């Protein structure tokens, strides 16, 4: 990633992490449903935006972690999971961990150190508990789909549940250090 892109990512992540902190303050008063809904929405958008930016640059530890947080937040937004103080605390820890992941990425760390990996693993386990997934199921669900996993509920006449994705990069796609292959990885 070029220095210019790294700086843009750093500034955007810093701004978004501040938004996440404010959103978490809105979640302190769970007796106010409107504020809770706004806080969850802001927090979801924050994690989603950082995930997207990190995905463009192939920052997989950030993408993988924020995907799980985003899934839990999505369940809250859909009403299948109720917000409580334990979740607020977990999101606060997740926001702080994301800040550490961003810091590591900006420092050029490609492999998480043992301490960061342990925190990541612990938080992912706690988040997966809310999703009803074990760590093994999460790893399995991140693996490639096989042809034997066809959707039995697919509409008639659909011979395949596969998608066709076409990417067309502009002439300057490689100029600023963007990795076009990261788009393919992000689709995973």
């Amino acid at each position: 990633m070029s220095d210019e892109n790294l700086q843009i990512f750093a500034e955007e992540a810093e701004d978004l992490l501040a938004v996440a902190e404010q959103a978490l303050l809105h979640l302190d008063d769970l007796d106010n449903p409107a504020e809770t809904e706004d806080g969850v929405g802001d927090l979801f958008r924050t994690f989603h935006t950082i995930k997207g930016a990190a995905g463009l640059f192939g920052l997989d530890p950030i993408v993988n972690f924020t995907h799980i947080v985003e899934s839990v937040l999505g369940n809250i937004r859909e009403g299948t999971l109720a917000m409580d103080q334990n979740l607020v605390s977990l999101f606060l820890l997740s926001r702080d961990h994301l800040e550490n992941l961003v810091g590591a990425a900006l420092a050029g760390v490609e492999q998480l150190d043992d301490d960061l990996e342990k925190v990541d693993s612990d938080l992912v386990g706690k988040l997966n508990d809310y999703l009803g997934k074990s760590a093994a199921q999460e790893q399995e669900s991140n693996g490639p789909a096989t042809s034997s996993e066809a959707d039995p509920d697919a509409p008639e006449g659909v011979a395949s549940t596969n998608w066709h994705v076409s990417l067309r990069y502009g002439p300057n796609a490689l100029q600023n250090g963007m990795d076009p292959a990261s788009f393919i990885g992000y689709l995973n």
Side-chain angles (χ1 to χ4, degrees):
M1 158 174 10
S2 74
D3 289 341
E4 182 181 334
N5 286 336
L6 186 65
Q7 185 60 36
I8 291 169
F9 177 74
E11 290 171 4
E12 181 178 5
E14 183 180 338
D15 291 345
L16 289 167
L17 287 166
V19 169
E21 193 166 338
Q22 288 301 309
L24 284 161
L25 293 175
H26 288 294
L27 296 179
D28 273 346
D29 182 12
L30 295 176
D31 294 330
N32 185 339
E35 277 206 27
T36 299
E37 187 176 330
D38 289 346
V40 168
D42 289 345
L43 203 54
F44 180 90
R45 283 185 294 281
T46 297
F47 277 88
H48 180 76
T49 303
I50 290 175
K51 181 182 85 171
L56 291 175
F57 298 113
L59 304 174
D60 293 337
I62 294 172
V63 171
N64 295 336
F65 179 71
T66 54
H67 173 72
I68 296 166
V69 176
E70 185 182 44
S71 295
V72 174
L73 287 164
N75 286 352
I76 294 168
R77 290 174 76 183
E78 294 167 4
T80 60
L81 182 61
M83 179 61 81
D84 61 22
Q85 274 312 126
N86 291 331
L87 272 169
V88 172
S89 296
L90 184 56
F91 289 138
L92 181 58
L93 292 171
S94 296
R95 182 251 173 241
D96 292 346
H97 180 60
L98 178 57
E99 183 173 34
N100 291 333
L101 289 175
V102 168
L106 295 175
V109 173
E110 293 185 23
Q111 179 90 15
L112 300 181
D113 66 28
D114 290 342
D115 292 337
L116 207 51
E117 182 67 41
K118 181 175 179 357
V119 171
D120 194 84
S121 180
D122 290 346
L123 288 172
V124 165
K126 289 176 183 176
L127 291 161
N128 278 332
D129 286 346
Y130 282 97
L131 295 173
K133 290 183 177 182
S134 69
Q137 288 172 319
E138 180 63 26
Q139 180 62 30
E140 191 176 292
S141 70
N142 285 334
T146 62
S147 59
S148 65
E149 296 175 342
D151 182 1
D153 298 324
E156 282 187 41
V158 176
S160 172
T161 59
N162 297 327
W163 291 25
H164 173 89
V165 177
S166 176
L167 299 173
R168 292 179 180 84
Y169 297 101
N172 298 327
L174 298 173
Q175 184 174 6
N176 294 319
M178 184 175 293
D179 178 11
S182 66
F183 282 94
I184 303 301
Y186 185 69
L187 289 173
N188 187 25

